[in-house]
Amino acid sequence: MRQFFHTHKNPVTVIIVIIILGGMFAYSQMQTSLFPEITFPKIKIIADAGQQPVNKMMITVTRPLENAIKKVPQLQTIRSTTSRGSCEISAYLNWDANIDISQQRIEALINEIRNTLPPGIDITVERMNPSILQVIGYSLESKTRSAIDLKLLADYTVKPFLSQVEGVSQIMVVGGKTKEYWLQLDIQKMTSLSITPDMINTALSNTNFIRSNGYLSDYRQMYLTVTDASVSSKDELENIVISNNKRIVLLKDIADVQIQEAKEYVKINSNGHESVLLGVIKQPNANLVDLSDKMATKLADLKRILPKDVSIEPYYVQADFVKDSIKSVTDSLWIGLVLAILVAIVFLRSFKASSVILVTIPITLLLTLIWLYAIGQTFNIMTLGAIAAAIGLIIDDAIVVVEQIHRTHEEFPDEPTTSLVHKAINYLLPAMIGSSLSTIVIFVPFFLMTGVAGAYFKVMTDSMIITLVCSFFVTWVILPVIYMLFTKDVTANSVTKKKTAHGVKQQPWIAFFIKRPYISFAIIITLAFSIYFILPKLQIGFLPEMDEGSIVFDYATPPGTSLQETDRILREVEKLIMQVPEVETYSRRTGTQMGFFITEPNTGDYLIQLKKDRAKTTDEVIDEIRQKVESSQPALRADFGQVIGDMLGDLMSSVQPVEVKIFGSDQKKLQQLSQQVADIVSNVRGTADVFDGIVIAGPSVSVAPNSANLAQYGITPSDLQYQLQTALEGNIIGSVYDKEQLSNVRMVYPGNRTLSVDGLNQLQVFLPGGQLKPINSLAGIHVNSGDAEIQRENLQSMGIVTARLDNRDLGSAIKDIQQQVSSKISLPQGYAIVYGGDYANQQQSFKELLIILISASLLVFTVILFLFKDFRIAFIILLIAILGIAGSYMGLYFTNTALNVGSYTGLIMIVGIIGENAIFTFLQFKESLKESNDIDQAIIYSISTRLRPKLMTALGAIIALMPIALGIGTGAQLHQPLAIAVIGGFIVAMPLLLIVLPTLIRLVFKKNHASLLKHG
């Protein structure tokens, strides 16, 4: 191995070329996405059973479904929301559960009990993962065409055209109106002709069909014979014969056939205009950026074939944010890298040594890309963030080796480069192995982390491990060869010649500090006290937040508000939104929402896209819109968030960070407690969009048939309900094959759209003979107030109070809420309050991160113990490493940055980084002590020798992380807390490594250093 780099220079050079070419290939092939492709262990079940009351829905649908789903293996939590006629159940499984098999099991268990559920119930089961959410949104508009024409154009032209793009899973069409043929019955004519609605229904079912009669053989040919009685136009529909009793009665004789818009309790608006929205759902493994580019090209082709009076424009493109985020992280990485190279040039004053670092780091990055590509990872904000965060460690590895070779060259100017390189690498190899292991092992315990934080940050830590392993390989095997390639094959005589064997400048200040140990103890006590003092005062959060530049605004008008009134209120809100100069575009859904939810006609959401060039942050724009809306529309319940954060919240248990759950048995008592808790939360500083969780379905009208009276006139309750539906919603009694689509035929009474409660009381019902009878003589009609939705978790009823945060951290807000709730709320026996949402996730993650921190520290201790075989040294280095956390805390405290999962990861990194640097220092001390046999002289020499590489690595790493720490660029806020924590730790690491460590080494080994020589 002594001549390895000389004898294997050519093979290693070929490996360098392979890495460069392979890395470039991997870079060109790797997919790009915002986050790693992670399947969330959540399955949602939505059951629709018409308009059953909430209490009956709970008994007949929700509870049986919950009991069935509860049997699924690895089920963690089950939550349900029961509304009028529908229920929504969310099944949360363990993160290691197979979501596909779990979905099949749930569907099988539901099928087992389907016979016990109400007839006609519709049940949908969906896996909840990011791939079911739209990544691109388009708005289709026209000033001249009807809503029916726009819907037809979207369904039969735009959707098929855009679906041709590779990577598209689904094109969802929302809005517009569906074409229907309405038969408005003339009740008086029908009475005079003794025709009932049932006769019309029977006539259409006996007429409007296509059926096979069988095959016919004739002259060696076989023919399929069909009876085609289908209806394909309005004229054919009008001329259907309804009765042939004494005279022929056609449909047009007793009904007015009209082309109408189907009744849909949905309104779609884009930038103030009625429109159709198209949402693009990508396939799970599709490249988001490539898909977006292909869709943009396809959209340009589509515009050429669309009618001139129709326009289609994007209102949301997730790839834009992804591109900006990836570019921002990449730019930060390269800016930091260039600045770090400048630091190397300043300290080494050697163009060759700096050039070696400049070439080595890209090779490390390219090798990392090859590895990431091989394991199927993508370019996303977590993998790139890991590389950006690890860039300081990559620079550290390269600087340590190059500086050692360079210093060896300075000390032995007459030796050939080959000999110098081998001498430097052989000297550093034990420390390189130990230091690299100390930074790698700190990420190993992250497999203990669970939940969404574990899913995403495990990708990040795995990427860091890959990056550091690649860095070790490149700096140990490839960097020396690169250094030799940059050196002419002559005796190295170009550097300043040193007369002494150890030409390192002695630093007198080192002796000053090591001979005054009270200074080091003062530093230790100060740092320990700072941890004790600062930690309780730190802001506490869960996941780092990003400024996405897009807003989700969920809203709800008072229960029972009509769709028309809701639309009127929202048009006033839209005037306020457009007054905000930072708003670029918006789209609005009423009666439906983005995602997979039960949605009432009085609820919906806005998606607001902000301008890229704006002075205000997204949170500041949210505050402005919130104030405008609350002051002008106090009855409107609003909830603001950012798009991607909101989507991730939908995939987890709660969208809102603050969630207070009150468990109990009585619904009325739960509602009272929820209102009391909501009042308390509203008065806590820093909370916004507080909601007591009480959702009231609109008022209802109950029609109770009088069985005796119905039997007297020969009518069944089913006949009565059919005629009631004809008078209101209308009944679909057939379809018309019209332009490659089936349009429903709906039978309605005149004035069905304007019928009032009083009008319902006066409704005339057809008897079997065609006579009319008022409904109030056949049934009782009662108006009922709305029922509240029922929330349950793990089969227990609960009330949920939620809130957003407004310029306040999660930890302090929850602390105030807990204090006030415990002092002001008196719970009855059997009731309990549990805090969920981000707080519960944060508490779980912090417990796991504490275990990870302890485990990482013990692993670093074990590595050092194996390397130096001395408990005292291992303990000293571990103490120094843990004290470095104080710097991270101070960095977070003075920059008002929250301690969250990201910054906690930075704390754990600091332990490994300081341990790595301490290993090199002690190795130098150990070697120097062998030569001088003087502890003080060995300490002074080792610190003087390691001073330059330590300053270079610290400054290089700090400067490399500075662009991320400053939060420059889109999405940089995600990794900002981690960068701040690492930079704070690096700053405090300097006095710890240069003052405290040598002092402690001197105290331990001053009396008897013979044991050190023995172990060496």
Side-chain angles (χ1 to χ4, degrees):
M1 287 293 292
R2 290 185 177 276
Q3 297 298 318
F4 174 83
F5 300 111
H6 178 69
T7 57
H8 291 77
K9 183 170 73 171
N10 292 335
V12 173
T13 303
V14 173
I15 291 174
I16 294 172
V17 174
I18 292 173
I19 290 174
I20 293 172
L21 295 176
M24 293 171 66
F25 174 78
Y27 178 81
S28 65
Q29 296 295 312
M30 284 181 72
Q31 296 185 8
T32 305
S33 59
L34 181 62
F35 289 109
E37 287 291 342
I38 291 174
T39 300
F40 283 70
K42 177 180 178 180
I43 297 174
K44 185 175 282 189
I45 303 94
I46 290 184
D48 187 350
Q51 295 297 323
Q52 291 197 55
V54 174
N55 291 335
K56 187 178 179 183
M57 190 74 190
M58 166 59 67
I59 296 169
T60 60
V61 179
T62 305
R63 194 173 290 163
L65 286 176
E66 285 180 337
N67 291 331
I69 296 167
K70 192 73 175 162
K71 299 175 184 177
V72 175
Q74 295 184 294
L75 181 72
Q76 195 173 66
T77 305
I78 182 170
R79 291 178 70 163
S80 68
T81 301
T82 306
S83 185
R84 184 173 62 195
S86 60
C87 75
E88 178 183 303
I89 301 175
S90 295
Y92 300 91
L93 300 119
N94 294 332
W95 277 87
D96 57 350
N98 186 312
I99 198 72
D100 295 313
I101 293 176
S102 297
Q103 181 181 359
Q104 293 170 10
R105 285 171 174 163
I106 288 175
E107 289 171 342
L109 289 167
I110 291 173
N111 287 331
E112 287 179 8
I113 65 164
R114 188 174 281 274
N115 290 335
T116 66
L117 300 175
I121 188 171
D122 182 29
I123 301 176
T124 307
V125 181
E126 286 282 355
R127 290 180 298 124
M128 301 301 291
N129 57 66
S131 63
I132 71 167
L133 305 172
Q134 70 176 36
V135 294
I136 306 173
Y138 297 113
S139 171
L140 187 70
E141 300 178 23
S142 175
K143 295 181 179 179
T144 58
R145 293 177 181 260
S146 67
I148 291 177
D149 289 339
L150 274 182
K151 181 72 175 287
L152 290 172
L153 192 65
D155 282 332
Y156 296 100
T157 301
V158 178
K159 180 177 179 179
F161 194 85
L162 295 181
S163 298
Q164 297 170 10
V165 176
E166 183 183 357
V168 172
S169 173
Q170 183 184 3
I171 303 290
M172 297 180 65
V173 178
V174 183
K177 296 295 182 182
T178 303
K179 180 181 178 180
E180 284 189 344
Y181 289 87
W182 279 24
L183 312 182
Q184 283 202 349
L185 305 181
D186 189 323
I187 296 175
Q188 297 304 322
K189 285 185 179 180
M190 289 174 63
T191 303
S192 63
L193 295 170
S194 300
I195 294 175
T196 65
D198 280 341
M199 294 172 65
I200 299 174
N201 187 11
T202 303
L204 257 73
S205 62
N206 290 335
T207 303
N208 190 17
F209 64 84
I210 302 177
R211 290 176 190 162
S212 170
N213 307 315
Y215 286 98
L216 182 150
S217 297
D218 186 20
Y219 291 102
R220 300 181 182 179
Q221 293 290 323
M222 180 173 284
Y223 301 91
L224 173 66
T225 64
V226 295
T227 299
D228 185 354
S230 62
V231 177
S232 58
S233 68
K234 179 183 173 185
D235 289 339
E236 291 180 8
L237 184 62
E238 288 177 329
N239 289 304
I240 290 177
V241 177
I242 302 299
S243 172
N244 191 16
N245 186 13
K246 296 181 182 178
R247 58 168 287 190
I248 295 176
V249 179
L250 303 180
L251 182 59
K252 64 184 178 182
D253 296 331
I254 58 170
D256 181 17
V257 180
Q258 303 172 350
I259 295 176
Q260 290 278 4
E261 297 173 351
K263 267 195 171 183
E264 294 175 350
Y265 297 98
V266 172
K267 272 197 175 290
I268 303 298
N269 189 322
S270 178
N271 299 317
H273 306 292
E274 296 284 342
S275 62
V276 176
L277 301 182
L278 296 102
V280 180
I281 311 296
K282 79 178 187 72
Q283 292 178 349
N285 296 320
N287 189 323
L288 176 60
V289 174
D290 284 351
L291 175 64
S292 179
D293 293 339
K294 291 176 183 176
M295 289 299 294
T297 304
K298 197 71 173 177
L299 185 66
D301 295 337
L302 175 64
K303 288 180 177 180
R304 286 194 286 269
I305 66 173
L306 284 177
K308 293 183 179 180
D309 60 338
V310 176
S311 63
I312 181 169
E313 297 294 338
Y315 67 86
Y316 174 69
V317 181
Q318 191 184 94
D320 289 347
F321 177 72
V322 174
K323 288 177 185 176
D324 292 342
S325 299
I326 299 297
K327 184 177 183 299
S328 172
V329 175
T330 306
D331 289 347
S332 298
L333 193 155
W334 288 113
I335 290 170
L337 182 58
V338 170
L339 293 174
I341 297 299
L342 293 176
V343 169
I345 293 173
V346 170
F347 275 89
L348 294 177
R349 295 189 297 276
S350 168
F351 179 76
K352 179 176 73 174
S354 303
S355 299
V356 170
I357 296 174
L358 182 63
V359 173
T360 301
I361 293 174
I363 292 175
T364 302
L365 298 179
L366 290 171
L367 182 58
T368 302
L369 292 184
I370 293 172
W371 196 334
L372 291 174
Y373 175 69
I375 64 173
Q377 272 297 351
T378 63
F379 274 130
N380 56 68
I381 205 162
M382 302 308 292
T383 51
L384 282 177
I387 295 172
I391 197 70
L393 300 176
I394 298 172
I395 293 170
D396 185 10
D397 289 344
I399 284 176
V400 165
V401 176
V402 169
E403 195 278 338
Q404 181 66 32
I405 296 172
H406 186 69
R407 184 166 55 80
T408 308
H409 212 165
E410 290 177 333
E411 294 173 0
F412 305 98
D414 296 324
E415 286 196 29
T417 300
T418 303
S419 174
L420 293 172
V421 167
H422 283 89
K423 183 180 292 185
I425 297 300
N426 290 335
Y427 173 76
L428 278 180
L429 185 57
M432 282 175 63
I433 295 172
S435 64
S436 295
L437 283 175
S438 69
T439 51
I440 291 170
V441 296
I442 60 172
F443 297 113
V444 173
F446 272 87
F447 78 90
L448 298 170
M449 200 168 181
T450 61
V452 64
Y456 282 124
F457 277 83
K458 189 175 183 302
V459 173
M460 182 176 177
T461 53
D462 287 349
S463 300
M464 281 189 174
I465 290 175
I466 290 170
T467 305
L468 294 176
V469 171
C470 292
S471 176
F472 173 75
F473 173 77
V474 171
T475 52
W476 180 46
V477 176
I478 293 178
L479 186 148
V481 174
I482 295 173
Y483 192 93
M484 292 168 65
L485 292 173
F486 275 66
T487 305
K488 294 181 180 179
D489 194 16
V490 295
T491 301
N493 200 27
S494 57
V495 294
T496 305
K497 295 184 180 181
K498 308 281 184 179
K499 298 298 182 183
T500 58
H502 298 283
V504 178
K505 182 181 179 181
Q506 303 289 321
Q507 302 293 333
W509 56 266
I510 301 172
F512 174 83
F513 284 111
I514 63 175
K515 291 178 180 178
R516 293 168 178 81
Y518 60 85
I519 298 176
S520 294
F521 285 115
I523 293 173
I524 293 172
I525 293 170
T526 301
L527 293 177
F529 177 76
S530 69
I531 294 174
Y532 175 80
F533 176 77
I534 291 176
L535 184 57
K537 298 181 180 298
L538 281 177
Q539 298 180 23
I540 302 296
F542 177 44
L543 293 176
E545 297 180 352
M546 296 183 293
D547 190 330
E548 301 173 24
S550 53
I551 301 170
V552 172
F553 167 16
D554 294 319
Y555 58 81
T557 53
T561 305
S562 68
L563 184 64
Q564 291 73 21
E565 177 61 13
T566 299
D567 183 58
R568 186 197 64 79
I569 293 171
L570 295 174
R571 288 193 179 276
E572 296 298 318
V573 170
E574 286 158 17
K575 294 177 183 177
L576 302 175
I577 292 174
M578 293 311 295
Q579 290 175 6
V580 179
E582 289 79 14
V583 172
E584 185 172 36
T585 61
Y586 72 87
S587 62
R588 187 243 294 179
R589 285 146 292 274
T590 304
T592 183
Q593 288 176 280
M594 294 186 297
F596 188 54
F597 301 99
I598 298 173
T599 308
E600 296 290 336
N602 66 316
T603 62
D605 60 31
Y606 283 95
L607 196 159
I608 303 170
Q609 189 68 41
L610 304 182
K611 296 174 181 175
K612 288 187 178 181
D613 298 326
R614 61 183 190 276
K616 294 182 179 179
T617 64
T618 302
D619 285 336
E620 290 171 343
V621 177
I622 286 175
D623 288 341
E624 182 179 350
I625 296 175
R626 180 187 286 125
Q627 291 171 4
K628 288 177 179 290
V629 171
E630 288 178 349
S631 60
S632 66
Q633 302 292 337
L636 188 73
R637 176 168 58 83
D639 180 59
F640 290 87
Q642 298 194 54
V643 175
I644 295 168
D646 209 56
M647 288 179 177
L648 289 177
D650 291 339
L651 298 173
M652 295 186 286
S653 59
S654 175
V655 173
Q656 292 81 7
V658 177
E659 183 183 70
V660 185
K661 297 183 284 190
I662 307 113
F663 289 94
S665 55
D666 184 71
Q667 285 297 318
K668 291 185 178 179
K669 186 63 179 177
L670 285 173
Q671 291 176 23
Q672 292 175 3
L673 291 171
S674 296
Q675 290 170 339
Q676 294 172 15
V677 171
D679 290 339
I680 292 171
V681 175
S682 299
N683 293 319
V684 171
R685 180 181 61 83
T687 59
D689 303 338
V690 180
F691 178 45
D692 58 18
I694 302 171
V695 179
I696 306 291
S700 61
V701 177
S702 294
V703 179
N706 186 319
S707 300
N709 289 355
L710 288 176
Q712 180 183 349
Y713 293 105
I715 303 176
T716 65
S718 177
D719 294 334
L720 179 66
Q721 188 278 329
Y722 186 85
Q723 292 196 48
L724 273 170
Q725 186 170 335
T726 304
L728 292 166
E729 194 77 18
N731 279 295
I732 296 173
I733 59 174
S735 58
V736 174
Y737 183 76
D738 183 15
K739 295 180 181 178
E740 298 185 3
Q741 66 162 337
L742 289 176
S743 297
N744 289 330
V745 177
R746 188 181 296 269
M747 182 169 60
V748 299
Y749 285 175
N752 68 313
R753 285 182 166 174
T754 58
L755 190 65
S756 63
V757 176
D758 290 337
L760 185 63
N761 272 294
Q762 304 302 320
L763 182 68
Q764 298 292 312
V765 176
F766 281 92
L767 301 180
Q771 302 87 358
L772 295 173
K773 197 73 177 175
I775 192 173
N776 53 23
S777 65
L778 302 172
I781 298 176
H782 309 283
V783 178
N784 305 316
S785 59
D787 296 325
E789 289 183 352
I790 298 176
Q791 304 273 357
R792 282 158 63 93
E793 182 173 286
N794 292 329
L795 312 185
Q796 187 177 10
S797 296
M798 66 174 178
I800 303 178
V801 178
T802 58
R804 300 271 185 180
L805 296 174
D806 186 16
N807 296 317
R808 193 174 184 190
D809 68 290
L810 176 66
S812 62
I814 289 290
K815 186 178 179 181
D816 286 354
I817 291 171
Q818 288 174 326
Q819 290 175 349
Q820 295 196 34
V821 167
S822 61
S823 62
K824 296 179 180 179
I825 299 294
S826 178
L827 293 176
Q829 187 174 2
Y831 286 71
I833 289 179
V834 176
Y835 295 87
D838 281 358
Y839 175 74
N841 294 327
Q842 175 259 325
Q843 290 290 297
Q844 177 66 24
S845 295
F846 273 33
K847 287 178 184 176
E848 292 168 349
L849 284 167
L850 179 60
I851 295 172
I852 291 170
L853 176 61
I854 295 171
S855 303
S857 301
L858 291 176
L859 287 172
V860 171
F861 180 82
T862 304
V863 169
I864 298 168
L865 197 58
F866 267 99
L867 186 62
F868 297 125
K869 306 174 186 64
D870 192 313
F871 268 105
R872 295 169 301 174
I873 295 303
F875 177 77
I876 288 172
I877 294 177
L878 181 62
L879 175 65
I880 296 297
I882 293 175
L883 285 173
I885 293 175
S888 300
Y889 283 154
M890 284 189 276
L892 297 173
Y893 180 75
F894 291 118
T895 58
N896 291 319
T897 304
L899 178 62
N900 51 41
V901 175
S903 49
Y904 214 129
T905 304
L907 304 184
I908 297 169
M909 285 178 63
I910 279 298
V911 174
I913 291 169
I914 295 178
E916 173 192 23
N917 280 274
I919 286 172
F920 283 108
T921 300
F922 186 75
L923 175 70
Q924 187 71 59
F925 164 75
K926 182 178 167 183
E927 295 296 324
S928 301
L929 188 60
K930 285 181 182 179
E931 296 180 7
S932 64
N933 207 27
D934 184 319
I935 292 176
D936 287 355
Q937 183 61 33
I939 290 174
I940 293 171
Y941 179 78
S942 62
I943 298 299
S944 299
T945 304
R946 302 307 308 165
L947 180 60
R948 183 169 66 179
K950 275 188 173 53
L951 292 175
M952 287 172 63
T953 54
L955 285 174
I958 290 171
I959 290 174
L961 290 171
M962 193 59 71
I964 299 176
L966 294 174
I968 299 172
T970 306
Q973 300 85 359
L974 185 66
H975 298 296
Q976 188 178 25
L978 184 149
I980 290 172
V982 173
I983 288 174
F986 261 117
I987 292 172
V988 169
M990 287 299 95
L992 285 172
L993 291 169
L994 298 176
I995 298 174
V996 177
L997 178 62
T999 302
L1000 294 179
I1001 290 175
R1002 182 175 186 270
L1003 290 175
V1004 170
F1005 292 103
K1006 184 64 178 173
K1007 291 183 180 180
N1008 184 11
H1009 66 271
S1011 61
L1012 181 64
L1013 295 175
K1014 180 180 178 182
H1015 289 313

